[in-house]
Amino acid sequence: MKVLMLNGSANPQGNTYLSLQEVGRQLQKEGIEYEIFQLGGAPVRDCIGCGKCSETGCVFGDDKVNEFIAKAREADGFVFGTPVYYAHPSGRILSFLDRAFYSGKKAFAMKPGAAVTVARRGGMTASFDVMNKYFGISQMPVVGSTYWNMAYGCRTGEAEEDAEGMQTMRNLARNLAWMLKCLQAGKAAGVAWPEAEQGSRTDFIR
């Protein structure tokens, strides 16, 4: 089993990365592989609702969205990490995930997901709430911890000094590993995925 993580920070080895890495170390102890996908600092397009998604993903191939979707298809679970900018997730990660979920939604369905937020001080719970909305609309079980999945730190390395934050990351990893193993056991026992109804879409604007 493998967990795909997304580092939504432009800093490839900053506090968001260090928090995800703490999750990864514990996952390995639980027998789960992981990969941290670096979003980086390059420009990311917004979704423009063009409706031209295909089997390979988004029609625009000039950034990493389709590469991420391809990896998501092979992953068993996800952790999305973001720094907090103005009490909100990074605009880059939101543009990225909007397009990844819109054009590659099947790659995420029925796979556990968790969000991790990192900030100097404020805006953590608001950012955490925004990130979790991707899971709720995509039939993804949401993985929690013993506190909200957040760590504090400004200068690189400070997140590792947040003892409770790092403890929260390790407990998140334990919960994610447990859920993945339960899903695997259910599949082996012949428990089928729930069949979602399709077709009804209410629109009161005429």
Side-chain angles (χ1 to χ4, degrees):
M1 289 181 285
K2 184 174 181 178
V3 170
L4 180 62
M5 303 193 201
L6 177 62
N7 179 11
S9 173
N11 185 346
Q13 295 189 328
N15 287 313
T16 304
Y17 171 80
L18 295 175
S19 300
L20 294 175
Q21 194 174 52
E22 188 71 8
V23 176
R25 279 193 287 262
Q26 186 62 43
L27 284 173
Q28 285 185 322
K29 292 179 182 178
E30 303 289 332
I32 309 291
E33 295 181 48
Y34 77 96
E35 175 185 352
I36 298 178
F37 188 97
Q38 299 284 3
L39 185 52
V44 177
R45 290 175 178 267
D46 288 329
C47 179
I48 60 172
C50 66
K52 295 181 180 178
C53 308
S54 68
E55 290 297 319
T56 58
C58 181
V59 67
F60 298 111
D62 54 355
D63 54 28
K64 296 181 178 180
V65 168
N66 289 337
E67 180 186 352
F68 183 76
I69 293 171
K71 289 179 179 290
R73 291 191 182 101
E74 304 301 319
D76 301 291
F78 303 92
V79 181
F80 302 148
T82 183
V84 175
Y85 297 163
Y86 290 92
H88 204 257
S90 110
R92 183 179 292 104
I93 196 173
L94 294 183
S95 294
F96 190 91
L97 290 176
D98 282 355
R99 287 173 49 225
F101 273 81
Y102 195 79
S103 62
K105 190 172 183 177
K106 291 180 181 178
F108 303 96
M110 303 310 299
K111 298 176 182 179
V116 167
T117 62
V118 182
R120 181 191 71 82
R121 190 170 177 84
M124 299 275 259
T125 54
S127 298
F128 185 63
D129 180 61
V130 171
M131 296 292 288
N132 278 310
K133 287 189 168 64
Y134 290 99
F135 311 133
I137 199 173
S138 304
Q139 293 184 279
M140 297 175 70
V142 181
V143 187
S145 185
T146 46
Y147 194 74
W148 293 289
N149 307 332
M150 52 184 66
Y152 287 90
C154 181
R155 291 183 293 274
T156 297
E158 286 184 342
E160 291 182 311
E161 299 173 21
D162 178 4
E164 185 176 6
M166 293 299 101
Q167 174 182 273
T168 300
M169 298 302 130
R170 293 190 295 272
N171 287 336
L172 167 62
R174 292 183 180 101
N175 292 345
L176 176 53
W178 175 83
M179 190 177 290
L180 288 170
K181 292 171 185 177
C182 286
L183 289 169
Q184 185 182 59
K187 185 177 180 181
V191 179
W193 283 2
E195 185 175 341
E197 293 184 25
Q198 302 289 340
S200 295
R201 189 169 183 175
T202 303
D203 184 355
F204 292 106
I205 301 173
R206 297 288 185 259

Coordinates of all heavy atoms in Angstrom, one line a residue, residues 76-137:
D76 N -3.2 4.5 -2.6 CA -4.3 4.0 -1.8 C -4.8 5.0 -0.8 O -5.9 4.8 -0.2 CB -3.7 2.8 -1.0 CG -3.2 1.7 -1.9 OD1 -4.1 1.1 -2.6 OD2 -2.0 1.4 -1.9
G77 N -4.1 6.1 -0.6 CA -4.5 7.1 0.4 C -3.7 8.4 0.1 O -2.7 8.4 -0.6
F78 N -4.2 9.5 0.7 CA -3.6 10.8 0.4 C -3.5 11.7 1.7 O -4.3 11.6 2.6 CB -4.5 11.6 -0.6 CG -4.8 10.9 -1.8 CD1 -5.9 10.0 -2.0 CD2 -3.9 11.0 -2.9 CE1 -6.1 9.3 -3.2 CE2 -4.1 10.3 -4.1 CZ -5.2 9.5 -4.2
V79 N -2.4 12.5 1.6 CA -2.3 13.6 2.6 C -1.9 14.8 1.9 O -0.9 14.8 1.1 CB -1.2 13.3 3.7 CG1 -1.1 14.4 4.7 CG2 -1.5 12.0 4.4
F80 N -2.7 15.9 2.0 CA -2.4 17.2 1.3 C -1.9 18.2 2.4 O -2.7 18.5 3.3 CB -3.7 17.7 0.6 CG -4.3 16.8 -0.4 CD1 -5.6 16.8 -0.6 CD2 -3.4 15.9 -1.1 CE1 -6.2 15.9 -1.6 CE2 -4.0 15.1 -2.1 CZ -5.4 15.1 -2.3
G81 N -0.7 18.7 2.2 CA -0.2 19.7 3.1 C -0.1 21.1 2.5 O 0.3 21.2 1.3
T82 N -0.5 22.1 3.3 CA -0.4 23.5 2.8 C 0.1 24.4 3.9 O -0.3 24.2 5.1 CB -1.8 24.0 2.3 OG1 -1.7 25.3 1.8 CG2 -2.8 24.0 3.5
P83 N 0.9 25.4 3.5 CA 1.1 26.5 4.4 C -0.1 27.4 4.4 O -1.0 27.3 3.6 CB 2.3 27.2 3.7 CG 2.1 26.9 2.3 CD 1.5 25.6 2.2
V84 N -0.2 28.3 5.4 CA -1.3 29.2 5.6 C -0.9 30.6 5.1 O 0.1 31.1 5.6 CB -1.8 29.2 7.0 CG1 -2.9 30.3 7.2 CG2 -2.3 27.9 7.5
Y85 N -1.6 31.1 4.1 CA -1.4 32.4 3.6 C -2.6 33.2 3.9 O -3.7 32.9 3.4 CB -1.1 32.4 2.1 CG 0.1 31.7 1.6 CD1 0.2 31.3 0.3 CD2 1.1 31.4 2.5 CE1 1.4 30.6 -0.2 CE2 2.3 30.7 2.1 CZ 2.4 30.3 0.7 OH 3.5 29.7 0.3
Y86 N -2.6 34.3 4.6 CA -3.7 35.2 4.9 C -4.9 34.3 5.4 O -6.0 34.4 4.9 CB -4.1 36.0 3.7 CG -3.1 37.1 3.4 CD1 -2.0 36.8 2.5 CD2 -3.1 38.3 4.1 CE1 -1.0 37.8 2.3 CE2 -2.2 39.3 3.8 CZ -1.1 39.0 2.9 OH -0.2 40.0 2.7
A87 N -4.7 33.5 6.4 CA -5.7 32.6 7.0 C -6.4 31.7 6.0 O -7.6 31.4 6.1 CB -6.7 33.5 7.7
H88 N -5.6 31.3 5.0 CA -6.2 30.5 3.9 C -5.1 29.6 3.3 O -3.9 29.9 3.5 CB -6.7 31.4 2.8 CG -7.8 30.8 2.0 ND1 -7.6 30.4 0.7 CD2 -9.1 30.7 2.2 CE1 -8.7 29.9 0.2 NE2 -9.7 30.1 1.1
P89 N -5.5 28.4 2.7 CA -4.4 27.6 2.1 C -3.8 28.4 1.0 O -4.3 29.4 0.5 CB -5.2 26.4 1.5 CG -6.5 26.4 2.3 CD -6.8 27.8 2.6
S90 N -2.6 28.0 0.5 CA -1.9 28.6 -0.6 C -2.8 28.6 -1.8 O -3.5 27.6 -2.1 CB -0.6 27.8 -0.9 OG -0.6 27.1 -2.1
G91 N -2.9 29.7 -2.5 CA -3.7 29.8 -3.8 C -3.2 28.7 -4.8 O -4.0 28.2 -5.5
R92 N -1.9 28.4 -4.8 CA -1.4 27.5 -5.7 C -2.0 26.1 -5.5 O -2.4 25.4 -6.4 CB 0.2 27.4 -5.6 CG 0.9 26.5 -6.6 CD 2.4 26.6 -6.4 NE 2.9 27.9 -6.8 CZ 3.3 28.8 -5.9 NH1 3.2 28.6 -4.6 NH2 3.7 30.0 -6.4
I93 N -2.0 25.7 -4.2 CA -2.5 24.3 -4.0 C -4.0 24.2 -4.3 O -4.5 23.2 -4.8 CB -2.2 23.8 -2.5 CG1 -2.4 22.3 -2.5 CG2 -3.1 24.5 -1.5 CD1 -2.0 21.7 -1.2
L94 N -4.8 25.3 -4.1 CA -6.2 25.2 -4.4 C -6.4 25.2 -5.9 O -7.3 24.4 -6.3 CB -6.9 26.5 -3.8 CG -6.9 26.5 -2.2 CD1 -7.7 27.8 -1.8 CD2 -7.5 25.3 -1.6
S95 N -5.7 25.9 -6.6 CA -5.8 25.9 -8.1 C -5.5 24.5 -8.6 O -6.1 23.9 -9.5 CB -4.9 26.9 -8.8 OG -5.4 28.2 -8.5
F96 N -4.4 23.9 -8.0 CA -3.9 22.6 -8.4 C -5.0 21.5 -8.1 O -5.4 20.7 -8.9 CB -2.6 22.3 -7.6 CG -1.9 21.1 -8.0 CD1 -0.9 21.1 -9.0 CD2 -2.2 19.8 -7.5 CE1 -0.2 20.0 -9.4 CE2 -1.5 18.7 -7.8 CZ -0.5 18.8 -8.8
L97 N -5.5 21.5 -6.8 CA -6.5 20.5 -6.4 C -7.8 20.7 -7.1 O -8.5 19.7 -7.4 CB -6.7 20.5 -4.9 CG -5.5 20.0 -4.1 CD1 -5.7 20.2 -2.6 CD2 -5.1 18.6 -4.5
D98 N -8.2 21.9 -7.4 CA -9.5 22.2 -8.2 C -9.4 21.4 -9.5 O -10.4 20.7 -9.9 CB -9.7 23.6 -8.5 CG -10.2 24.4 -7.3 OD1 -10.5 23.8 -6.2 OD2 -10.3 25.7 -7.4
R99 N -8.3 21.5 -10.2 CA -8.2 20.9 -11.5 C -8.0 19.4 -11.4 O -8.5 18.6 -12.2 CB -7.1 21.5 -12.3 CG -7.5 22.9 -12.8 CD -6.3 23.6 -13.5 NE -5.6 22.8 -14.4 CZ -4.3 22.8 -14.5 NH1 -3.5 23.5 -13.7 NH2 -3.7 22.1 -15.4
A100 N -7.2 19.0 -10.4 CA -7.0 17.5 -10.2 C -8.2 16.8 -9.8 O -8.5 15.7 -10.4 CB -5.9 17.3 -9.1
F101 N -9.1 17.3 -9.0 CA -10.3 16.7 -8.6 C -11.4 16.8 -9.7 O -12.1 15.9 -9.9 CB -10.8 17.2 -7.3 CG -10.2 16.5 -6.1 CD1 -9.0 16.9 -5.6 CD2 -10.9 15.5 -5.4 CE1 -8.4 16.3 -4.5 CE2 -10.4 14.9 -4.3 CZ -9.1 15.3 -3.9
Y102 N -11.4 17.9 -10.4 CA -12.4 18.1 -11.4 C -12.2 17.2 -12.6 O -13.1 16.6 -13.1 CB -12.4 19.6 -11.9 CG -13.6 19.9 -12.7 CD1 -14.8 20.2 -12.1 CD2 -13.6 20.0 -14.1 CE1 -16.0 20.6 -12.8 CE2 -14.7 20.3 -14.8 CZ -15.9 20.6 -14.2 OH -17.0 21.0 -14.9
S103 N -10.9 17.0 -13.0 CA -10.6 16.2 -14.2 C -10.2 14.8 -13.8 O -10.2 13.9 -14.7 CB -9.5 16.9 -15.0 OG -8.3 17.0 -14.2
G104 N -9.9 14.5 -12.6 CA -9.4 13.1 -12.2 C -10.1 12.6 -11.0 O -9.5 11.8 -10.2
K105 N -11.4 12.9 -10.8 CA -12.1 12.6 -9.6 C -12.1 11.1 -9.3 O -12.0 10.7 -8.1 CB -13.5 13.1 -9.7 CG -14.3 13.0 -8.4 CD -15.7 13.7 -8.5 CE -16.4 13.7 -7.2 NZ -17.7 14.4 -7.3
K106 N -12.2 10.2 -10.3 CA -12.2 8.8 -10.0 C -10.9 8.3 -9.4 O -10.9 7.2 -8.8 CB -12.4 8.0 -11.4 CG -13.8 8.2 -11.9 CD -14.0 7.5 -13.2 CE -15.4 7.7 -13.8 NZ -15.5 7.0 -15.1
A107 N -9.8 9.0 -9.5 CA -8.6 8.6 -8.9 C -8.6 8.7 -7.4 O -7.7 8.1 -6.7 CB -7.4 9.4 -9.5
F108 N -9.5 9.4 -6.9 CA -9.6 9.7 -5.4 C -10.7 9.0 -4.7 O -10.6 8.8 -3.5 CB -9.7 11.2 -5.2 CG -8.6 12.0 -5.8 CD1 -8.8 12.6 -7.1 CD2 -7.3 12.2 -5.2 CE1 -7.7 13.3 -7.7 CE2 -6.3 12.9 -5.8 CZ -6.5 13.5 -7.0
A109 N -11.7 8.6 -5.4 CA -12.9 8.1 -4.8 C -12.7 6.9 -3.9 O -11.9 6.0 -4.3 CB -14.0 7.7 -5.8
M110 N -13.2 6.8 -2.7 CA -13.2 5.7 -1.8 C -11.8 5.5 -1.2 O -11.5 4.4 -0.7 CB -13.8 4.5 -2.4 CG -15.2 4.6 -2.8 SD -16.3 5.4 -1.6 CE -16.3 4.2 -0.3
K111 N -10.9 6.4 -1.4 CA -9.6 6.3 -0.8 C -9.4 7.4 0.4 O -9.9 8.5 0.2 CB -8.5 6.6 -1.8 CG -8.5 5.6 -3.0 CD -7.5 6.0 -4.1 CE -7.5 5.1 -5.2 NZ -6.5 5.5 -6.3
P112 N -8.9 7.0 1.5 CA -8.8 7.9 2.6 C -7.9 9.1 2.3 O -6.9 9.0 1.6 CB -8.1 7.1 3.7 CG -8.3 5.6 3.3 CD -8.3 5.7 1.8
G113 N -8.3 10.3 2.9 CA -7.6 11.5 2.7 C -7.5 12.3 4.0 O -8.3 12.2 4.9
A114 N -6.4 13.0 4.1 CA -6.2 13.9 5.3 C -5.5 15.2 4.8 O -4.7 15.2 3.8 CB -5.3 13.2 6.3
A115 N -5.8 16.2 5.5 CA -5.2 17.5 5.2 C -4.3 17.9 6.4 O -4.6 17.6 7.6 CB -6.3 18.6 5.1
V116 N -3.2 18.6 6.1 CA -2.2 19.1 7.1 C -2.0 20.5 6.8 O -1.7 20.9 5.7 CB -0.9 18.3 7.0 CG1 0.2 19.0 7.8 CG2 -1.1 16.9 7.5
T117 N -2.1 21.4 7.8 CA -1.9 22.8 7.7 C -0.7 23.2 8.6 O -0.6 22.7 9.7 CB -3.1 23.6 8.0 OG1 -3.5 23.5 9.3 CG2 -4.3 23.3 7.0
V118 N 0.0 24.2 8.1 CA 1.2 24.7 8.8 C 1.2 26.2 8.8 O 1.1 26.8 7.7 CB 2.5 24.1 8.3 CG1 3.7 24.6 9.1 CG2 2.5 22.6 8.2
A119 N 1.4 26.9 9.9 CA 1.4 28.3 10.0 C 2.3 28.9 11.1 O 2.6 28.1 12.0 CB 0.0 28.8 10.2
R120 N 2.6 30.1 10.9 CA 3.3 30.8 12.0 C 2.5 31.0 13.2 O 2.9 30.7 14.4 CB 3.8 32.2 11.6 CG 4.6 33.0 12.6 CD 4.8 34.4 12.2 NE 3.6 35.2 12.3 CZ 3.1 35.7 13.4 NH1 3.7 35.5 14.6 NH2 2.0 36.4 13.4
R121 N 1.2 31.3 13.0 CA 0.3 31.5 14.1 C -1.2 31.3 13.8 O -1.8 30.3 14.2 CB 0.5 32.9 14.7 CG -0.3 33.2 16.0 CD 0.2 34.5 16.6 NE -0.5 34.7 17.9 CZ -0.2 34.3 19.1 NH1 0.9 33.5 19.2 NH2 -0.9 34.5 20.2
G122 N -1.9 32.2 13.0 CA -3.3 32.2 12.8 C -3.7 31.6 11.5 O -2.9 31.4 10.6
G123 N -5.0 31.3 11.4 CA -5.6 30.8 10.1 C -5.6 29.3 9.9 O -5.9 28.8 8.8
M124 N -5.1 28.6 10.9 CA -5.0 27.1 10.7 C -6.3 26.4 10.5 O -6.5 25.6 9.6 CB -4.3 26.5 11.9 CG -2.9 27.1 12.2 SD -1.7 26.2 11.2 CE -1.0 25.2 12.4
T125 N -7.3 26.6 11.4 CA -8.5 25.9 11.3 C -9.3 26.3 10.1 O -10.0 25.4 9.5 CB -9.4 26.1 12.6 OG1 -9.6 27.5 12.8 CG2 -8.7 25.5 13.8
A126 N -9.3 27.5 9.7 CA -10.0 27.9 8.5 C -9.3 27.2 7.2 O -10.1 26.8 6.4 CB -9.9 29.5 8.3
S127 N -8.0 27.1 7.2 CA -7.3 26.5 6.1 C -7.6 25.0 6.1 O -7.9 24.4 5.1 CB -5.8 26.7 6.2 OG -5.5 28.1 6.1
F128 N -7.7 24.4 7.3 CA -7.9 23.0 7.5 C -9.3 22.7 6.9 O -9.6 21.7 6.2 CB -7.8 22.6 8.9 CG -8.0 21.2 9.3 CD1 -7.1 20.2 8.8 CD2 -9.0 20.7 10.1 CE1 -7.2 18.9 9.1 CE2 -9.2 19.4 10.4 CZ -8.3 18.5 9.9
D129 N -10.3 23.5 7.3 CA -11.7 23.4 6.8 C -11.8 23.4 5.3 O -12.4 22.5 4.7 CB -12.5 24.5 7.4 CG -14.0 24.4 7.0 OD1 -14.6 23.3 7.3 OD2 -14.5 25.3 6.3
V130 N -11.1 24.3 4.7 CA -11.1 24.4 3.2 C -10.5 23.2 2.5 O -11.1 22.6 1.6 CB -10.3 25.7 2.7 CG1 -10.1 25.6 1.2 CG2 -11.0 26.9 3.2
M131 N -9.4 22.7 3.1 CA -8.8 21.5 2.5 C -9.6 20.2 2.6 O -9.7 19.4 1.7 CB -7.4 21.3 3.1 CG -6.4 22.4 2.9 SD -5.9 22.5 1.2 CE -4.8 21.0 1.1
N132 N -10.4 20.1 3.7 CA -11.2 18.9 3.9 C -12.4 18.9 3.0 O -13.0 17.8 2.8 CB -11.7 18.9 5.4 CG -10.6 18.3 6.3 OD1 -10.0 17.2 6.0 ND2 -10.3 19.0 7.4
K133 N -12.7 19.9 2.4 CA -13.9 19.9 1.5 C -13.7 19.1 0.2 O -14.6 18.6 -0.4 CB -14.3 21.4 1.1 CG -15.0 22.1 2.3 CD -15.6 23.4 2.0 CE -16.5 23.9 3.1 NZ -15.8 24.2 4.3
Y134 N -12.4 18.9 -0.2 CA -12.2 18.1 -1.4 C -12.6 16.6 -1.1 O -13.0 15.9 -2.0 CB -10.7 18.2 -1.8 CG -10.3 19.5 -2.4 CD1 -9.7 20.5 -1.6 CD2 -10.6 19.8 -3.7 CE1 -9.3 21.7 -2.1 CE2 -10.2 21.0 -4.2 CZ -9.6 22.0 -3.4 OH -9.2 23.2 -4.0
F135 N -12.3 16.2 0.1 CA -12.6 14.8 0.5 C -14.1 14.6 0.6 O -14.7 13.6 0.1 CB -12.0 14.5 1.8 CG -10.6 14.8 2.0 CD1 -10.1 15.5 3.1 CD2 -9.7 14.5 0.9 CE1 -8.7 15.8 3.2 CE2 -8.3 14.9 1.0 CZ -7.9 15.5 2.2
G136 N -14.8 15.5 1.1 CA -16.3 15.4 1.4 C -17.1 15.3 0.1 O -18.2 14.6 0.1
I137 N -16.6 15.8 -1.0 CA -17.4 15.8 -2.2 C -17.0 14.6 -3.1 O -17.5 14.4 -4.2 CB -17.3 17.1 -3.0 CG1 -18.4 17.3 -4.0 CG2 -15.9 17.3 -3.6 CD1 -18.4 18.7 -4.7

